[in-house]
Amino acid sequence: MGTPPLASDVCAGGGSAVWFSMNFCTLGSPVLLISFLFWLSLATPGAWAAGYETCPPVKPGMLNVHLLPHTHDDVGWLKTVDQYYYGILNDVQHASVQYILDSVIASLLENPTRRFIYVEMAFFSRWWKEQTNATQDVVRRLVHQGRLEFVNGGWVMNDEAATYYGAIVDQMTLGLRFLQDTFGSSGRPRVAWHIDPFGHSREQASLFAQMGFDGFFLGRIDYQDKVAREEKLKMEEVWRGSASLKPPTADLFTGVLPNNYNPPRNLCWDVLCADHPLVEDPKSPEFNAKTLVSYFLQLAYSQQQYYRTKHTVMTMGSDFQYENANMWFKNMDKLIRLVNKQQAEGSQVHVLYSTPSCYLWELNKANLTWSVKEDDFFPYADGPHMFWTGYFSSRPALKRYERLSYNFLQVCKQLEALAGPAATTGPYGSGDSAPLNEAMAVLQHHDAVSGTARQNVANDYARQLAAGWGPCEVLVSNALAMLSHEKQNFSFCRELNISICPVSQKSEHFQVTIYNPLGRKVQQMIRLPVNDGIFFVKDPNGKTVPSNVVMRPNSYSKRYQWDLLFPAFVPALGFSMYSVAKVTAATSQAYRLRARSKKSRSHVLFIENEYIRATFDSGTGLLMKIENMEQSLSLPVSQGFFWYNASTGDGKSSQASGAYIFRPNHLKPMPVSRWAQVHLVKTALVQEVHQNFSAWCSQVVRLYPGQRHLELEWMVGPIPVKDGWGKEVISRFDTPLKTQGEFYTDSNGREILKRRRNHRPTWRLNQTEPVAGNYYPVNTRIYISDGHTQLTVVTDRSQGGSSLQDGSLELMVHRRLLLDDGRGVQEPLMELGTGSTVLGRHLVLLSSVSDAAARHRLLAEKEILAPQVVLSQGGSSPYYYWAAPRTQFSALRQDLPPQVHLLTLARWGPKMLLLRLEHQFTATEDSGRKLSSPVTLNLQNLFQAFTITELQETTLAANQRLSEASRLKWMTDSGLISYPAPSKLDPTSVTLRPMEIRTFVARVKWQESS
Ligand SMILES: [Zn+2]
């Protein structure tokens, strides 16, 4: 191991800087070839023909109008992904991606000056596979010449509000990998392109910068922000995506497009538009060339006045346009010719076919000094009373399924990396992480996890996830059998959320294998549905561990139902196997642990463990106080559920609340109930208060021993709407903390942004919606503090949240609406079937401010990458005849320090792994335990499941070697930025600075099991 030397024994690729010393020539599988070509393409930057040098010439001194022919192809919205691709249900929406690509390629060939950009690899990769070799060659040439340019290049154009950064990185990696494998460096996008997402997160800019993008173009920003930017000539700026990473690491040049992503008025020449084609025959009664040309010249000047250079762009295309590309190109050919002909008459306007990167290249060459933006673009409003803050919470069940699938996908990828080839081919069949990886990438689309697709499309997203789980379950089974040396009858309880698990409910004996995807050991309370009885649980060493059978919440009125609880210990990146045996079917012990009704008791109700006590008002049954005994903190906290009455439009605006938009009728929400019927459960292993607020709203407030947070497990739905009122349900925490209008929300689960009520950091807000206009996306956490005490709520999915009063904090958990909000989906968010009842968790931390980050960072990390429970029953057989079963395993030689998050461990090719390590603290947040300091790891000594023989560092999406990546440089008004040369990679000493992610492709050798 070490920095890989230049190869002397490579048999392909000539003398380029191939760094392998391994002998590739003898290994001939197609997968290997792809991975080899992948490396080759990374290693030859000089071969990158489709760089900025392929850009069309401009006319210096003139106003250059860059026409950007493009199509916006949603990966599901009104139709499913497949319906859009093939063009099925064109009566619902006329849209057929396969014909768009066919048509565009043919049109590009007709005229060498024409250009086109394409974005979504979920569609393009599908189309590519259907093409003949001859067409593929033609397309390769177009890409090479820069006439077909990929922008963004992710599998989808991801949402930015409801997405977790790990999933964004995964989906971008998948799309960019396809491009790299297919086109080499000439297919590598240089520009990020998020023209439709409904608001933009700062973390997205940071991630794009770290992926090596040179610039970023957006379509939708707040209408007031846009006016302010136009006035101040700040439509284009440098966005500083991180407060911790040293500039320019997370700096990204960002431009706001003039007309969202649509063509200028009267200039839409698609089969979906009704604008007049350009008629240049003066004898025709329809002759309009003269009018259109002078209109165009006027338009160019009026648009350019808001931008700083002699260049401006026009987005020539829109949703699913270019199915008949000839219509567009034929008219633009004429327009370009006629407008440029005016130059002979003294016109100073030059129009050309261009691409976003060619436009960006001109901006860069202008050599200006740009202002710096440090906040984000949330929330987005496209008019007064029109805040797109509803989708932060829309379809909460789908949002949870997506997050749970992220968790399982990481487990699946890790085990594929740890077990090597044995994971994909094993006793349970062919395992594969790719289907779930692709389904998860699709879910990141801005109409998928956002909850803004139609019901049948949302169902199809869930179907794709479910289909992806199957091959991963096979893979996990193969890997666990290999690593544990034991073939068991593994079973995955996918329906634990509704307390269904046939193995634990029906078997007298069963094994519980718990896999921990974190880089450090965890203690976890395992909870499984059982039929009543008494059970003995044994740990991996055969020692009995304490267990309880407790009554399940919400089962009082029916037949009692029971859960088995036992604490498990699982080593880092590994597993522990516990065995469970039913001793007797008697209910006596279980009966004693049944919940006791506390409704009419007068004494104070509380639950506690060694760290926390939560006190409840015995009159109302509501939470009243939280105490952190460790830090002697005590805070009155009342928590309850409320609902906003969804607006159906009023005198101020006809805007209704809908899938995208949140607009309550009143500022004050209604309580679901002013009191709760409560039951108390106290055993050695858990203390719970069960609160029943109404027939459709209940909650369990829970403490396990050793837990430093309070767990609130809520169940909401189906929300009743027979009264004709749409309802948007929140959980609200009220405290006396003096928070001065401020609160904090995370950005895609990574850095934290400070929010201030009725305020935007860079422009003056005229607030039209005091509730909806103060909502922000919460991906993993929201908190309030008075400078000393901090109340943090960690969520189990993305939700909208706010603090509408000092000391108060709320999260929208569910919504059901009777009207559509007029943004195209044309369907009210009713969620009649699955998804109407939602179970979720809020983890509440009370701590000192200095200690808070250490708590919430590690808690959120464990919530995102929770241990995976796999059951098995019946006998087992040995995996290797010579090896004894292994009931406990860790793939690490030692735990990672608390600063370090193992973001990615995945197969990358034969004998190759993708590894991402991240410092999960910001530069300033942990004053309590110095977790904000850099940390250094020895990668050579980290893993025991495999040995790293070679290591290469890449950009964040792994499509470029880091040492060869260079981004355009931009001067900013924030002072000089230094560009240090990348230091030599020493695998024995890899330092991570706060918030830094480092990405490596490693060649590995798996350990032989013995
Ligand atoms: Zn879209």
Side-chain angles (χ1 to χ4, degrees):
M1 182 159 144
T3 303
L6 289 181
S8 55
D9 55 349
V10 169
C11 60
S16 59
V18 179
W19 53 273
F20 301 118
S21 59
M22 307 289 291
N23 185 0
F24 270 100
C25 320
T26 53
L27 304 162
S29 81
V31 192
L32 181 89
L33 189 68
I34 286 170
S35 107
F36 176 67
L37 290 174
F38 177 85
W39 277 112
L40 203 62
S41 66
L42 287 195
T44 49
W48 177 23
Y52 294 109
E53 67 274 16
T54 64
C55 285
V58 297
K59 289 216 165 162
M62 286 197 182
L63 169 55
N64 290 277
V65 183
H66 297 245
L67 300 185
L68 307 183
H70 80 106
T71 179
H72 176 65
D73 298 346
D74 289 308
V75 184
W77 182 41
L78 308 184
K79 305 203 290 189
T80 65
V81 185
D82 287 73
Q83 288 164 357
Y84 274 136
Y85 180 73
Y86 292 109
I88 295 162
L89 293 184
N90 272 357
D91 52 334
V92 172
Q93 183 185 6
H94 191 102
S96 316
V97 175
Q98 56 168 339
Y99 306 133
I100 292 174
L101 287 163
D102 291 342
S103 175
V104 161
I105 298 306
S107 280
L108 286 177
L109 294 174
E110 280 177 30
N111 172 349
T113 68
R114 292 176 179 177
R115 285 174 186 250
F116 197 76
I117 54 171
Y118 202 76
V119 179
E120 298 87 3
M121 290 310 113
F123 286 131
F124 187 86
S125 65
R126 204 184 267 228
W127 179 84
W128 177 257
K129 285 181 199 128
E130 294 175 351
Q131 304 312 305
T132 61
N133 288 344
T135 307
Q136 290 186 345
D137 284 344
V138 164
V139 174
R140 271 196 204 95
R141 204 158 48 242
L142 289 172
V143 172
H144 199 66
Q145 292 164 348
R147 291 156 68 186
L148 175 64
E149 177 180 311
F150 295 103
V151 295
N152 220 59
W155 202 246
V156 301
M157 182 187 294
N158 65 253
D159 174 52
E160 299 186 39
T163 40
Y164 179 70
Y165 73 97
I168 294 175
V169 171
D170 282 354
Q171 83 88 4
M172 288 302 300
T173 302
L174 181 63
L176 293 174
R177 172 93 199 250
F178 167 81
L179 285 174
Q180 196 68 31
D181 288 347
T182 311
F183 299 104
S185 296
S186 52
R188 181 166 57 77
R190 283 151 287 154
V191 163
W193 181 256
H194 271 201
I195 52 172
D196 196 25
F198 335 120
H200 301 279
S201 72
R202 192 178 75 176
E203 189 58 40
Q204 184 76 53
S206 173
L207 297 175
F208 277 152
Q210 294 173 69
M211 287 172 194
F213 285 102
D214 281 328
F216 183 23
F217 291 98
L218 351 148
R220 300 176 182 274
I221 66 164
D222 183 283
Y223 68 106
Q224 296 178 39
D225 188 9
K226 191 172 184 186
V227 170
R229 283 176 185 281
E230 286 175 342
E231 279 169 6
K232 290 187 257 175
L233 294 186
K234 286 194 173 180
M235 293 290 274
E236 292 163 335
E237 284 188 296
V238 170
W239 196 354
R240 188 148 290 163
S242 170
S244 287
L245 297 170
K246 197 166 175 281
T249 308
D251 285 4
L252 186 63
F253 183 89
T254 302
V256 180
L257 294 168
N259 191 29
N260 285 3
Y261 58 93
N262 298 310
R265 208 153 54 85
N266 303 326
L267 301 181
C268 185
W269 290 307
D270 196 76
V271 71
L272 299 172
C273 302
D275 292 346
H276 292 191
L278 211 153
V279 182
E280 51 181 326
D281 176 4
K283 289 191 287 259
S284 166
E286 302 297 337
F287 173 70
N288 62 6
K290 208 174 162 197
T291 325
L292 276 181
V293 165
S294 72
Y295 166 72
F296 183 87
L297 292 173
Q298 220 174 23
L299 188 77
Y301 279 115
S302 72
Q303 194 176 289
Q304 192 264 336
Q305 64 182 312
Y306 303 125
Y307 292 83
R308 294 181 58 202
T309 67
K310 298 284 270 180
H311 296 268
T312 189
V313 285
M314 292 186 189
T315 39
M316 306 307 269
S318 194
D319 293 7
F320 297 97
Q321 294 199 359
Y322 286 80
E323 192 178 318
N324 181 348
N326 181 56
M327 283 176 69
W328 259 115
F329 281 115
K330 189 171 187 171
N331 283 286
M332 285 191 290
D333 283 351
K334 287 184 190 172
L335 181 79
I336 290 170
R337 179 166 42 79
L338 294 174
V339 168
N340 290 347
K341 214 166 122 188
Q342 295 297 305
Q343 289 165 15
E345 316 294 319
S347 161
Q348 287 293 299
V349 174
H350 180 68
V351 57
L352 66 152
Y353 282 121
S354 186
T355 67
S357 68
C358 293
Y359 171 64
L360 184 81
W361 177 231
E362 297 302 329
L363 298 183
N364 186 263
K365 284 194 291 188
N367 229 2
L368 299 174
T369 297
W370 302 91
S371 52
V372 174
K373 175 182 176 66
E374 298 188 59
D375 60 332
D376 66 358
F377 288 101
F378 281 122
Y380 166 59
D382 54 353
H385 307 285
M386 298 168 179
F387 283 90
W388 297 44
T389 53
Y391 80 97
F392 299 163
S393 306
S394 293
R395 299 196 187 278
L398 184 66
K399 283 180 163 72
R400 174 62 188 157
Y401 192 23
E402 183 275 335
R403 191 64 65 85
L404 200 63
S405 300
Y406 177 78
N407 194 159
F408 188 53
L409 175 60
Q410 303 313 312
V411 167
C412 181
K413 286 183 179 184
Q414 288 185 359
L415 282 166
E416 191 175 18
L418 297 179
T424 38
T425 316
Y428 307 91
S430 299
D432 194 356
S433 62
L436 187 56
N437 198 35
E438 284 187 21
M440 272 298 290
V442 167
L443 261 287
Q444 307 312 309
H445 165 58
H446 56 269
D447 293 302
V449 69
S450 58
T452 55
R454 282 200 181 159
Q455 185 63 53
N456 65 309
V457 179
N459 294 346
D460 187 65
Y461 288 135
R463 178 196 63 78
Q464 292 185 49
L465 287 178
W469 278 60
C472 259
E473 287 173 352
V474 174
L475 190 156
V476 168
S477 300
N478 284 338
L480 286 178
M482 185 269 205
L483 295 169
S484 69
H485 307 164
E486 205 179 5
K487 288 183 273 187
Q488 300 188 48
N489 186 15
F490 290 117
S491 170
F492 295 77
C493 289
R494 288 198 200 178
E495 295 176 309
L496 272 179
N497 63 325
I498 49 170
S499 299
I500 293 176
C501 180
V503 172
S504 65
Q505 284 167 312
K506 290 185 182 148
S507 321
E508 304 279 308
H509 298 270
F510 56 94
Q511 296 268 334
V512 184
T513 304
I514 305 146
Y515 176 78
N516 169 23
L518 293 183
R520 67 192 68 81
K521 59 182 166 291
V522 293
Q523 290 264 184
Q524 177 84 0
M525 190 66 76
I526 302 300
R527 193 165 185 139
L528 295 167
V530 290
N531 289 327
D532 56 1
I534 296 172
F535 294 81
F536 274 135
V537 180
K538 288 187 175 163
D539 74 7
N541 302 316
K543 285 204 191 111
T544 303
V545 296
S547 63
N548 283 165
V549 172
V550 298
M551 198 186 62
R552 196 177 309 143
N554 296 315
S555 69
Y556 328 108
S557 51
K558 309 160 215 157
R559 204 166 57 84
Y560 289 125
Q561 294 173 312
W562 310 95
D563 282 340
L564 170 69
L565 254 69
F566 66 91
F569 165 86
V570 195
L573 206 64
F575 60 81
S576 294
M577 285 187 184
Y578 286 74
S579 64
V580 179
K582 192 171 190 171
V583 189
T584 150
T587 53
S588 56
Q589 185 209 13
Y591 195 75
R592 271 190 292 135
L593 302 176
R594 214 175 77 196
R596 292 181 294 254
S597 173
K598 288 287 172 184
K599 189 186 165 189
S600 56
R601 301 286 176 84
S602 58
H603 65 266
V604 178
L605 202 61
F606 67 90
I607 53 174
E608 66 179 350
N609 66 11
E610 60 269 51
Y611 303 118
I612 300 176
R613 180 185 297 128
T615 309
F616 297 78
D617 184 315
S618 57
T620 63
L622 300 182
L623 179 66
M624 199 168 80
K625 187 167 69 176
I626 302 177
E627 290 163 89
N628 173 337
M629 271 99 83
E630 224 179 346
Q631 296 179 332
S632 303
L633 291 172
S634 173
L635 185 70
V637 180
S638 79
Q639 182 270 342
F641 291 87
F642 301 79
W643 56 274
Y644 290 104
N645 178 201
S647 177
T648 54
D650 58 17
K652 286 182 193 151
S653 164
S654 60
Q655 182 62 56
S657 223
Y660 301 89
I661 285 172
F662 171 34
R663 187 172 183 227
N665 242 339
H666 307 284
L667 300 184
K668 293 263 173 283
M670 302 283 292
V672 168
S673 170
R674 292 181 195 284
W675 64 279
Q677 188 183 7
V678 297
H679 289 79
L680 182 68
V681 169
K682 282 194 181 185
T683 78
L685 294 183
V686 70
Q687 300 202 357
E688 292 176 344
V689 169
H690 300 181
Q691 300 170 308
N692 193 34
F693 296 94
S694 77
W696 55 272
C697 181
S698 62
Q699 181 171 257
V700 179
V701 185
R702 180 178 290 144
L703 272 176
Y704 292 121
Q707 187 174 278
R708 286 184 164 88
H709 63 271
L710 191 64
E711 179 177 318
L712 276 62
E713 187 181 71
W714 41 266
M715 186 148 75
V716 173
I719 300 172
V721 289
K722 279 197 178 140
D723 53 13
W725 288 350
K727 297 181 183 66
E728 322 211 21
V729 182
I730 60 163
S731 169
R732 196 176 75 196
F733 301 79
D734 292 306
T735 76
L737 287 176
K738 295 195 173 20
T739 54
Q740 303 182 344
E742 293 175 351
F743 58 107
Y744 300 80
T745 58
D746 67 321
S747 186
N748 303 109
R750 232 160 91 81
E751 296 192 32
I752 309 284
L753 292 178
K754 187 201 275 193
R755 313 296 190 180
R756 203 194 310 162
R757 235 175 6 257
N758 299 322
H759 176 81
R760 304 290 185 263
T762 58
W763 47 281
R764 186 191 287 275
L765 169 71
N766 175 23
Q767 183 63 278
T768 54
E769 288 287 325
V771 177
N774 283 311
Y775 256 66
Y776 288 88
V778 176
N779 302 110
T780 54
R781 73 210 81 179
I782 179 170
Y783 58 81
I784 50 174
S785 110
D786 64 358
H788 303 284
T789 304
Q790 179 168 324
L791 186 75
T792 311
V793 179
V794 172
T795 65
D796 65 347
R797 76 199 71 193
S798 292
Q799 294 171 328
S802 189
S803 168
L804 298 174
Q805 301 277 333
D806 278 4
S808 170
L809 178 164
E810 67 185 58
L811 286 153
M812 187 178 289
V813 295
H814 201 359
R815 54 203 309 258
R816 194 174 205 186
L817 306 163
L818 299 166
L819 291 186
D820 176 65
D821 53 9
R823 294 304 183 280
V825 75
Q826 292 174 304
E827 189 180 84
L829 189 70
M830 277 295 285
E831 296 205 271
L832 290 169
T834 317
S836 64
T837 303
V838 180
L839 180 75
R841 295 193 306 151
H842 287 148
L843 309 181
V844 179
L845 282 164
L846 173 70
S847 59
S848 66
V849 168
S850 62
D851 196 43
R855 301 266 173 252
H856 69 69
R857 287 282 172 203
L858 297 173
L859 182 61
E861 185 194 25
K862 194 180 160 198
E863 182 67 15
I864 290 281
L865 291 182
Q868 177 69 41
V869 176
V870 185
L871 272 64
S872 59
Q873 60 177 334
S876 66
S877 58
Y879 190 88
Y880 303 107
Y881 69 89
W882 68 84
R886 188 153 65 175
T887 53
Q888 197 157 43
F889 167 80
S890 173
L892 294 186
R893 291 186 195 278
Q894 65 268 319
D895 279 17
L896 293 175
Q899 292 98 322
V900 181
H901 174 58
L902 178 65
L903 178 60
T904 308
L905 178 62
R907 280 290 288 282
W908 190 248
K911 301 185 182 176
M912 287 163 88
L913 298 184
L914 179 65
L915 171 65
R916 288 192 187 93
L917 292 162
E918 174 188 10
H919 193 304
Q920 59 177 337
F921 286 80
T922 69
T924 53
E925 69 189 357
D926 187 69
S927 52
R929 294 201 293 174
K930 298 196 172 65
L931 295 176
S932 289
S933 44
V935 58
T936 299
L937 298 172
N938 178 351
L939 298 192
Q940 201 163 20
N941 267 339
L942 197 54
F943 297 97
Q944 61 180 359
F946 50 80
T947 313
I948 298 176
T949 54
E950 300 190 18
L951 194 71
Q952 180 68 53
E953 187 160 13
T954 68
T955 50
L956 182 58
N959 63 336
Q960 227 185 340
R961 297 173 73 159
L962 190 66
S963 58
E964 285 156 4
S966 80
R967 301 170 60 214
L968 294 180
K969 295 180 174 63
W970 303 88
M971 284 183 297
T972 69
D973 61 9
S974 72
L976 271 182
I977 291 168
S978 59
Y979 295 85
S983 51
K984 209 168 166 236
L985 175 62
D986 176 2
T988 64
S989 173
V990 170
T991 298
L992 292 163
R993 292 181 182 78
M995 278 293 138
E996 188 176 18
I997 303 173
R998 294 185 70 174
T999 305
F1000 304 96
V1001 173
R1003 173 164 284 271
V1004 300
K1005 228 180 127 182
W1006 281 279
Q1007 308 296 317
E1008 286 298 317
S1009 257
S1010 56

